[in-house]
Amino acid sequence: DSLHDATVFVGHLNATIEVEIEKAIAVAQTLATSPALANRDYAAFDAETREVANRLGLVIVTRDLSGQQVTSTAVRPGDPLPVSNESILAADRLAAENKAPVVSDLVYGTVLKTPFVIADIPVITRSGVTYFIDVVLRPQRIVGILAQGLPDGWIAGVVGRDGRLIARNTQQDRYVGTVNQPFFD
């Protein structure tokens, strides 16, 4: 029965995407324990972050409480770093308020200018939240997960809390960032 098959597929897809999110959070939480970050040795922390990002094929950004990026693997070492945009700062505020990781809706990168989701982790010390470390979750990676083993003709997608499409196994570029009410329903 196709409803049962769809339920099984949805469960598998959700579990696989959850693993990706958990990995991103674990990477950021591990980096949050870095002595280099605690000592504000941004050059050393940038090197650590780049090694991890290169090994895992990730983009990782660290910001201070003002939103100023202090490290970013999206730019060359030594390039000037911007203040992150409002959509990313909104995720920071939620992570700081909850003192817990937050997975954003679709945001647009300050540097990359492309849509993605971030796993935003607050760095918490005795004095409170001091930094935010983000691991970028690219929609293309989620599209790859959605396409694995899906029967021909089936459409699968991931929609953010705000109703905008994050990823879809077909016509991703056409629909990313849109609210497709029939699909959402």
Side-chain angles (χ1 to χ4, degrees):
D1 143 273
S2 62
L3 183 58
H4 173 73
D5 291 348
T7 303
V8 170
F9 272 108
V10 166
H12 172 72
L13 294 174
N14 280 341
T16 306
I17 292 167
E18 282 292 321
V19 166
E20 285 296 307
I21 292 168
E22 288 169 11
K23 284 194 305 192
I25 290 170
V27 165
Q29 287 175 327
T30 301
L31 287 168
T33 66
S34 169
L37 183 60
N39 294 327
R40 296 188 172 142
D41 184 348
Y42 299 137
F45 185 66
D46 184 62
E48 290 173 11
T49 302
R50 286 178 189 283
E51 184 179 331
V52 170
N54 289 338
R55 189 172 293 158
L56 300 176
L58 299 171
V59 172
I60 302 170
V61 177
T62 307
R63 280 181 307 288
D64 66 18
L65 295 180
S66 74
Q68 174 64 53
Q69 295 180 10
V70 295
T71 68
S72 174
T73 64
V75 301
R76 291 187 312 259
D79 280 4
L81 296 171
V83 173
S84 290
N85 66 46
E86 179 53 36
S87 64
I88 293 171
L89 297 180
D92 285 353
R93 287 190 295 273
L94 190 56
E97 182 182 311
N98 295 334
K99 289 191 173 38
V102 168
V103 177
S104 73
D105 286 322
L106 198 66
V107 297
Y108 284 81
T110 307
V111 171
L112 298 176
K113 308 287 190 222
T114 59
F116 50 77
V117 172
I118 55 173
D120 192 342
I121 287 71
V123 178
I124 304 169
T125 64
R126 284 190 208 109
S127 60
V129 175
T130 53
Y131 296 99
F132 299 94
I133 300 176
D134 291 352
V135 175
V136 171
L137 301 166
R138 294 180 187 269
Q140 296 81 354
R141 175 68 187 122
I142 299 169
V143 169
I145 292 169
L146 294 176
Q148 292 174 359
L150 207 57
D152 287 342
W154 284 34
I155 298 172
V158 174
V159 176
R161 290 177 296 275
D162 63 359
R164 289 183 303 146
L165 189 81
I166 294 168
R168 175 181 155 133
N169 68 314
T170 63
Q171 298 181 307
Q172 166 72 8
D173 293 338
R174 177 178 174 192
Y175 290 106
V176 68
T178 64
V179 176
N180 182 333
Q181 201 58 47
F183 182 78
F184 191 57
D185 292 343

